[in-house]
Amino acid sequence: MRKQEKVIGRTSSRRIKRLAWAALVVAVFALGAMAAVSLRTSQAKDSSPQHNQTQAIGNSHSNLSLRVGAQQMPVDSQTGQIRPLTQEEAQQLAEGIKKLVNQSTDGLQSVRHADGSVSIDLEGRFQNIAIARRDEDGKLTQSCVDNPKAAAAFFGIDPQLVGVQRNATSSKSGSAVSEKGEVR
Amino acid sequence: MKNLTLAKLSLALATSLIVLSLSSSAFGAATIVIQNNDAAGVGFNDPTPVAPIGGNAGTTLGQQRLNAFQFAANIWGATLNSSSTITVRANWEALPCTANSAVLGSAGAASIWRDFSGATFNGTWYSAALANALTGVDLQAGEQEINARFNINLGNTGCGEGFPFYLGLDNNHGNGTDLVTVLIHEFSHGLGFQTFTSSSTGVQNSGFPSIFDRFLFDNATGKTWVAMTDAERQASAVNTSHLTWNGAAVTGQTSSVLATPRLTVNSPPPIAGNYVVGTASFGPSLSSPGITGAVVQALDPSDGAGSLTTDACSPLTNGAAISGKIALIDRGTCTFVTKVKNAQNAGAIAVVIADNVAGSPPPGLGGSDGTITISAVRITLADGNTIKAQLGSGVNASLLLDYSVPGGTDGAGRALMYAPNPVEAGSSVSHWDTTLFPNQLMEPNFSGDLTHSVVPIWDLTWSLFQDIGWHGNKIGDSQFYVRQHYIDFLNRFPDSSGLAFWNNQIVECGLDKPCIEIRQINVSAAFFLSIEFQETGYLVYRFYKSAYGNMPGAPVPVTFGEFLPDTQQIGQGVVVGIGNWQAQLEANKQAFALAFVTRSRFTSAFPTTLTPAEFVDALFAKSGVTPSTSERNAAIAEFGAATNTADNAARGRALRLVAENSQLKNLEFNKAFVLMQYFGYLRRNPNDPPEAGLNFDGYNFWLTKLLNHGGNFVDAEMVKSFIVSGEYRQRFGQ
């Protein structure tokens, strides 16, 4: 991953995203169709993974996973698209993030030691968290954040869910994330 | 220079493991331990059998996790100093995730300290690890300095299904998530790369600033964070492109670490100049001075793979024209890696891809292919057309990193900190700005092209740690260690493949300390033993020996001051294994020999009135070699029928024959090996300060010891002693 790939997200991102989106719609529909075929015929076929082929590897009521190359991607079985977070998932993520990213000093105790030094046990606060998401186009993006707002923005969830007031438009494609550039 | 001495090294390795297994790490400066906080059977204790991967020798999932943690910890342990053990209390647990989104893990300081003995600033918070290092004792014995917890479910159904951790230690993560990189980054926060002041409110932790805040400098207001009000800090945290780091160590390194990638057209004059490029996520990174060559349009058939004859989607049809040149290719139809691979297969030395749609700046080139060994960039459609219009005139260009324009700095060379506006759109001020180039470990994103090196010239993190008070040594970084050998022994910067090869010789040891130590020794010795050094530095030594013998009162023939410029001259442009290095070396040798014999010292010692036989006999006498009749006659014959030695060219050839005499090579080998320990590692003469007595006692000691061990440098512990010496290490830190 080189620097210019990040430029994509900040400069010509709209144009590129439009192009990428169009390509992805086609690709994802193709993947979905192939998955559907695979699901229908799975009982009669060897289910061993095949690189560079799309293959269904799981199923549920509304979701399934595709193996694309060496990677698995959860998709919506009806649309074939990598789906956004459900409200339930967003809530689940938010609850966990709130616990992990806490920069409040409320209740933290300063301790003065005999040598005159002072310490504070941070009690697990002021931690940095590494986070990742698979975008709709299948790209993996990763980042490190230290506050709930940043985490919420990264995952594209309502900042109020992580306990902060919404005071600006959050962007799922913040410039802090690393993105794999277009490949063609 | 990787082809040279592996057989010798393997033998040495086998004979020396026992000796060195008893010693401590050659470069270890801080001990960072991973405290396994997992219950039996889970996390670090997961007994699930796995195959070793990427240098991680663990055979259970838990052991591989622990190995990756310790490997990342050792990277910092080798480059930072602390007399107090740094404990990372770590565990694996279920962290928030969905099928496509996940928290990978978290880490940070366990506690913060102020007003302790040794603090560089009073009234200032330090992370526990740094406080312990500065005060010299464990301020809170028995407690961890860093907390870390990582996602035990990542990669399982319903939790980051497409991106499990890569547990190898070799950074060969492909499109996966390199756990070691994530850990190095997160440990850095725990070691002090973070503020404990709220960037969203500007409020200091318990009314005191963090040591980090003392170097956060807003170049718009001219204030550091410690000089600001809460409101000013709050504003500064979102003052994009104005919040900088003003520490001297970082600022002093930005011009050597950060750069701007460029395509520079050298000719023809009408289009000469710099062009903005997008870089590739595959193939070798650009370098300085980079790659220079003629630019040639790549041609391929119009076929099913690509309708254009300039898209390189099929094997090229003008391979002869492309070979050794920079291929110009049009974007479109097939992947970038396909195009570059086709150009590489045709012999291209680099690729420039011209965009097929308007827009600027040019984005990067995505994709992944580990077999691509040439660099590639993208230029805009307009720039592509400009260059294409001049191809008939012959275009010469360079792909390079321009270090005169450090990417991601302000006008004063200060690195920019990440201050997105609004604040929620990204992370925090505890990261570099994302405009730094090349990508840095402590940017908020985890870029796939990061190395595991944490020191300049690759990364600024170690420099920031210097600013906040850490002491340490860059030589503990294996890639830096290897690079320094290229500079010290071969007088050049490493070629990318050589650097990777020799670095891997060390890195592939994983956590095996005895292996690491012996590899450090053997890699180091390999530079003296290399063809490249033997044909440059050691040849210079033998020129002096042949011409003058040993210096008066000294057991060596040449001083460091004489040796260094001569070695640089004879090695100019020579990279063994790359290009026509043999022809370059031969030309250099001829030029050097001619120059050497025309120096006043030589002409004074060897007047032209000497007969050829007298001249040759004098040289052999100085060298200490008794030549065979044929060897003597061959040297004399260089003068033909002449009765004197006024022919400088013949003098040079005759001198070279003596200097390259095989007996002389063997006779002086060990002596030169010892002398090069002083020249290469210590950059001084054996009798220079700080040598006790300012004599050759040290040199004689090591020569005697080496000879007593039959020339086995490992058994003699000679190389090891030099590379762990304080004098050597002090060149690169504390």
Side-chain angles (χ1 to χ4, degrees):
Chain A
M1 178 62 65
R2 303 274 152 67
K3 187 65 61 183
Q4 258 52 37
E5 293 167 274
K6 286 186 267 183
V7 173
I8 295 173
R10 296 196 295 269
T11 56
S12 56
S13 60
R14 289 184 179 176
R15 175 181 55 78
I16 292 166
K17 282 179 177 173
R18 281 198 298 270
L19 291 171
W21 185 250
L24 281 166
V25 167
V26 174
V28 168
F29 272 110
L31 296 179
M34 293 174 72
V37 171
S38 179
L39 282 170
R40 283 195 294 269
T41 59
S42 61
Q43 290 180 332
K45 293 174 66 173
D46 180 357
S47 61
S48 60
Q50 298 173 35
H51 290 293
N52 301 319
Q53 292 187 7
T54 303
Q55 181 181 35
I57 61 169
N59 196 7
S60 66
H61 176 69
S62 59
N63 303 305
L64 54 84
S65 291
L66 298 180
R67 184 183 298 279
V68 179
Q71 298 181 337
Q72 300 173 7
M73 288 188 236
V75 299
D76 186 294
S77 61
Q78 301 303 310
T79 65
Q81 295 179 354
I82 295 174
R83 56 179 178 74
L85 294 174
T86 64
Q87 182 63 25
E88 182 184 2
E89 288 172 334
Q91 187 71 45
Q92 174 199 351
L93 269 178
E95 288 300 319
I97 289 166
K98 274 195 293 188
K99 295 174 185 172
L100 285 171
V101 186
N102 182 348
Q103 290 189 318
S104 169
T105 58
D106 293 347
L108 294 182
Q109 299 295 314
S110 292
V111 177
R112 181 169 293 279
H113 302 271
D115 64 355
S117 63
V118 178
S119 67
I120 296 177
D121 183 341
L122 294 175
E123 298 180 358
R125 305 182 198 178
F126 291 92
Q127 302 293 289
N128 298 270
I129 65 171
I131 51 183
R133 69 163 191 259
R134 176 77 66 190
D135 290 337
E136 289 88 342
D137 59 3
K139 289 187 295 190
L140 178 65
T141 60
Q142 301 165 312
S143 187
C144 176
V145 298
D146 69 358
N147 61 81
K149 287 183 181 178
F154 180 86
F155 289 124
I157 59 181
D158 187 341
Q160 292 182 80
L161 291 176
V162 293
V164 295
Q165 293 301 311
R166 189 206 307 265
N167 56 7
T169 304
S170 61
S171 167
K172 187 174 181 180
S173 56
S175 55
V177 300
S178 67
E179 298 181 0
K180 303 293 183 187
E182 55 191 346
V183 297
R184 66 179 62 213
Chain B
M1 57 153 272
K2 61 191 176 192
N3 307 331
L4 44 128
T5 54
L6 285 180
K8 287 183 183 177
L9 296 182
S10 298
L11 179 61
L13 179 93
T15 58
S16 60
L17 277 174
I18 296 172
V19 173
L20 291 167
S21 64
L22 302 175
S23 61
S24 60
S25 172
F27 297 124
T31 300
I32 303 179
V33 299
I34 307 301
Q35 185 181 84
N36 179 348
N37 206 35
D38 278 323
V42 300
F44 291 123
N45 304 315
D46 190 322
T48 305
V50 293
I53 182 172
N56 191 332
T59 54
T60 66
L61 179 57
Q63 187 61 53
Q64 286 200 350
R65 287 168 168 165
L66 190 58
N67 288 350
F69 264 69
Q70 191 61 61
F71 186 81
N74 287 353
I75 287 173
W76 278 123
T79 52
L80 296 177
N81 294 346
S82 180
S83 60
S84 178
T85 295
I86 300 167
T87 300
V88 178
R89 178 175 291 175
N91 70 289
W92 291 76
E93 62 185 65
L95 295 176
C97 59
T98 70
N100 289 312
S101 305
V103 172
L104 305 176
S106 71
S111 61
I112 53 177
W113 292 75
R114 63 177 172 86
D115 299 317
F116 51 88
S117 173
T120 49
F121 293 93
N122 286 327
T124 302
W125 293 118
Y126 293 77
S127 66
L130 177 54
N132 287 348
L134 289 171
T135 196
V137 297
D138 190 342
L139 287 164
Q140 200 162 20
E143 294 296 323
Q144 78 279 17
E145 284 72 37
I146 295 173
N147 289 317
R149 46 185 172 177
F150 274 68
N151 196 331
I152 199 170
N153 293 322
L154 194 73
N156 295 339
T157 301
C159 184
E161 293 178 12
F163 41 98
F165 285 120
Y166 175 70
L167 297 176
L169 312 179
D170 58 357
N171 207 17
N172 188 24
H173 53 79
N175 290 323
T177 299
D178 187 49
L179 178 60
V180 170
T181 296
V182 175
L183 288 169
I184 301 170
H185 178 111
E186 301 303 342
F187 288 170
S188 299
H189 286 308
L191 292 166
F193 201 116
Q194 76 174 117
T195 180
F196 302 102
T197 296
S198 170
S199 56
S200 58
T201 65
V203 176
Q204 296 172 332
N205 195 320
S206 306
F208 291 91
S210 307
I211 182 63
F212 200 82
D213 300 351
R214 294 191 172 276
F215 301 95
L216 288 175
F217 177 77
D218 192 313
N219 65 15
T221 63
K223 292 182 178 179
T224 61
W225 268 33
V226 292
M228 294 180 183
T229 64
D230 291 352
E232 287 173 328
R233 277 188 289 272
Q234 187 180 31
S236 182
V238 291
N239 199 2
T240 309
S241 299
H242 290 289
L243 184 62
T244 71
W245 184 266
N246 75 346
V250 168
T251 304
Q253 291 292 341
T254 53
S255 61
S256 61
V257 174
L258 304 177
T260 298
R262 291 202 189 289
L263 171 68
T264 299
V265 173
N266 306 307
S267 64
I271 64 167
N274 293 327
Y275 292 77
V276 178
V277 300
T279 54
S281 61
F282 50 86
S285 302
L286 297 183
S287 59
S288 179
I291 301 159
T292 297
V295 179
V296 175
Q297 178 69 61
L299 298 174
D300 70 323
S302 173
D303 56 19
S307 58
L308 296 178
T309 58
T310 54
D311 60 19
C313 290
S314 301
L316 304 190
T317 55
N318 63 335
I322 288 291
S323 183
K325 310 291 195 324
I326 298 172
L328 180 62
I329 297 171
D330 282 329
R331 181 189 176 205
T333 308
C334 60
T335 63
F336 295 129
V337 293
T338 301
K339 296 169 186 286
V340 176
K341 192 64 181 292
N342 283 331
Q344 177 177 300
N345 290 341
I349 57 174
V351 167
V352 175
I353 292 180
D355 215 333
N356 58 356
V357 294
S360 182
L365 303 172
S368 177
D369 186 337
T371 66
I372 289 179
T373 58
I374 61 175
S375 297
V377 298
R378 173 158 33 166
I379 59 175
T380 66
L381 174 65
D383 289 343
N385 289 336
T386 299
I387 293 172
K388 286 177 188 175
Q390 295 289 328
L391 288 177
S393 304
V395 175
N396 182 279
S398 303
L399 272 62
L400 74 162
L401 285 181
D402 184 352
Y403 283 91
S404 68
V405 185
T409 61
D410 70 358
R414 293 179 287 247
L416 300 178
M417 305 307 291
Y418 194 52
N421 190 358
V423 69
E424 64 265 32
S427 180
S428 72
V429 299
S430 299
H431 290 112
W432 303 121
D433 190 68
T434 55
T435 57
L436 271 67
F437 188 96
N439 288 320
Q440 296 290 294
L441 172 67
M442 295 310 290
E443 290 183 40
N445 51 289
F446 300 106
S447 299
D449 62 348
L450 291 172
T451 71
H452 287 165
S453 285
V454 294
V455 304
I457 62 159
W458 298 278
D459 197 79
L460 290 168
T461 312
W462 185 84
S463 300
L464 183 141
F465 281 160
Q466 278 193 303
D467 282 331
I468 63 174
W470 279 103
H471 294 163
N473 202 305
K474 289 179 286 186
I475 203 67
D477 183 290
S478 67
Q479 193 166 223
F480 180 91
Y481 175 74
V482 172
R483 180 178 183 270
Q484 194 60 43
H485 279 75
Y486 277 93
I487 296 169
D488 287 344
F489 286 88
L490 304 184
N491 295 290
R492 66 174 173 88
F493 296 120
D495 48 291
S496 58
S497 62
L499 178 65
F501 176 84
W502 289 109
N503 184 44
N504 191 54
Q505 292 294 305
I506 300 170
V507 170
E508 70 183 7
C509 290
L511 299 174
D512 185 343
K513 277 189 174 182
C515 173
I516 292 170
E517 289 166 350
I518 193 64
R519 293 291 182 91
Q520 286 173 335
I521 292 167
N522 287 338
V523 166
S524 184
F527 280 82
F528 171 77
L529 299 169
S530 69
I531 294 170
E532 194 165 324
F533 184 82
Q534 294 290 306
E535 293 293 324
T536 57
Y538 185 35
L539 181 59
V540 167
Y541 174 101
R542 285 178 277 129
F543 264 94
Y544 278 88
K545 180 71 178 181
S546 304
Y548 311 120
N550 286 343
M551 296 183 296
V556 299
V558 60
T559 67
F560 181 57
E562 295 165 330
F563 172 84
L564 187 59
D566 284 356
T567 300
Q568 289 169 341
Q569 180 185 342
I570 211 167
Q572 183 68 39
V574 175
V575 179
V576 169
I578 294 181
N580 195 354
W581 65 272
Q582 295 97 334
Q584 182 67 57
L585 179 62
E586 177 60 25
N588 288 358
K589 285 182 178 180
Q590 290 180 18
F592 177 76
L594 184 59
F596 192 92
V597 298
T598 56
R599 292 173 180 172
S600 60
R601 182 185 179 191
F602 191 87
T603 56
S604 298
F606 299 93
T608 57
T609 53
L610 292 174
T611 66
E614 290 171 334
F615 179 82
V616 169
D617 288 343
L619 293 177
F620 274 116
K622 289 291 186 184
S623 72
V625 167
T626 301
S628 66
T629 301
S630 61
E631 289 170 341
R632 179 175 181 272
N633 290 342
I636 293 171
E638 293 293 344
F639 293 92
T643 57
N644 63 26
T645 49
D647 181 350
N648 280 332
R651 283 178 155 231
R653 291 193 299 270
L655 173 60
R656 191 176 153 193
L657 279 176
V658 177
E660 294 186 325
N661 180 278
S662 59
Q663 288 184 64
L664 179 60
K665 284 185 188 176
N666 293 333
L667 194 64
E668 293 296 314
F669 186 85
N670 287 326
K671 299 172 188 174
F673 199 177
V674 176
L675 185 59
M676 294 312 142
Q677 307 295 291
Y678 289 89
F679 287 2
Y681 301 123
L682 308 185
R683 314 306 281 172
R684 65 170 173 87
N685 294 301
N687 58 335
D688 283 346
E691 191 73 17
L694 299 182
N695 54 34
F696 286 89
D697 285 357
Y699 169 88
N700 290 327
F701 168 83
W702 285 114
L703 179 59
T704 300
K705 193 172 185 187
L706 184 62
L707 294 175
N708 285 343
H709 285 87
N712 187 317
F713 58 89
V714 176
D715 286 353
E717 295 191 311
M718 180 180 71
V719 172
K720 176 187 175 184
S721 296
F722 277 83
I723 62 176
V724 302
S725 70
E727 188 179 350
Y728 177 62
R729 288 178 53 81
Q730 282 167 12
R731 292 177 56 199
F732 315 108
Q734 297 170 307

